[in-house]
Amino acid sequence: VAKKDLSALFLHGLKDINFTEHVILDSLPIMADAATSPNLKKAFETHLQQTEGHVQRLDRVFGLLDEKPVQVPCDAILGLIREGDEMVEKFDGGRALDAGLIAAAQAVEHYEMARYGALQAWAEELHLREAADLLRQTLSEEKQTDLLLSKLAQESANRAASG
Ligand SMILES: [Fe+2]
């Protein structure tokens, strides 16, 4: 891949994940509101704070490239968020709601991990060390969130099954 092409790909990916992070910022309060378990509510609230940091890091990466923090709409994240909304519509008030919310949230985390993994690798390849560091920090927070959700998934599945 020519360096010019990889730069263009990198910039496009940044705009895409920037849109994603903003969609997630809007979605997490709804997820926190819907969650039954206090631990899950707290996990969503904590991740909301982290997500504000993710947006700030992206702003810095755009700044390093002398670019504006543009957002490019991405259907993939809109579909994943829609699935979370459907969990609330279908399972609200039931014992399986938390398990459904967690599964939807983990799909979002895995999507973000895939995107940040690629972006970080491209930043390394382009010798954008500071950008790569910032992207790696966010990637690691997404991974931690995914691990926490896996733990909570076990609890919530137990609870749902005991109903
Ligand atoms: Fe994020």
Side-chain angles (χ1 to χ4, degrees):
V1 185
K3 201 174 167 191
K4 188 169 68 98
D5 291 347
L6 187 59
S7 294
L9 187 62
F10 180 59
L11 184 59
H12 177 79
L14 287 174
K15 293 173 181 175
D16 183 290
I17 196 72
N18 193 34
F19 175 81
T20 291
E21 293 287 17
H22 281 85
V23 169
I24 293 170
L25 272 184
D26 291 341
S27 160
L28 279 167
I30 299 167
M31 302 281 274
D33 231 31
T36 318
S37 126
N39 284 340
L40 183 56
K41 268 187 199 296
K42 195 160 159 253
F44 287 143
E45 281 160 7
T46 302
H47 196 55
L48 175 60
Q49 284 170 6
Q50 286 177 329
T51 301
E52 283 163 3
H54 299 175
V55 169
Q56 283 167 9
R57 283 195 196 112
L58 286 175
D59 284 350
R60 287 171 63 191
V61 174
F62 280 107
L64 288 167
L65 299 173
D66 244 338
E67 294 280 347
K68 290 210 162 64
V70 172
Q71 298 177 35
V72 167
C74 163
D75 286 339
I77 189 63
L78 293 175
L80 291 173
I81 295 289
R82 178 83 203 115
E83 285 196 353
D85 293 345
E86 280 171 13
M87 290 300 164
V88 180
E89 285 161 22
K90 287 187 184 144
F91 297 103
D92 202 11
R95 279 172 181 273
L97 175 64
D98 281 358
L101 289 177
I102 291 170
Q106 283 193 286
V108 172
E109 288 313 308
H110 290 193
Y111 172 76
E112 285 193 286
M113 283 155 58
R115 290 297 158 104
Y116 276 110
L119 287 168
Q120 184 229 302
W122 296 338
E124 302 274 7
E125 189 61 34
L126 292 165
H127 305 291
L128 300 167
R129 183 186 268 182
E130 202 177 338
D133 277 350
L134 290 163
L135 295 165
R136 191 177 308 108
Q137 288 168 40
T138 295
L139 176 59
S140 119
E141 286 177 2
E142 310 291 15
K143 285 181 179 170
Q144 285 162 20
T145 300
D146 182 51
L147 288 176
L148 173 62
L149 288 172
S150 286
K151 258 193 243 163
L152 296 175
Q154 187 128 31
E155 270 175 42
S156 69
N158 282 344
R159 221 163 56 94
S162 74

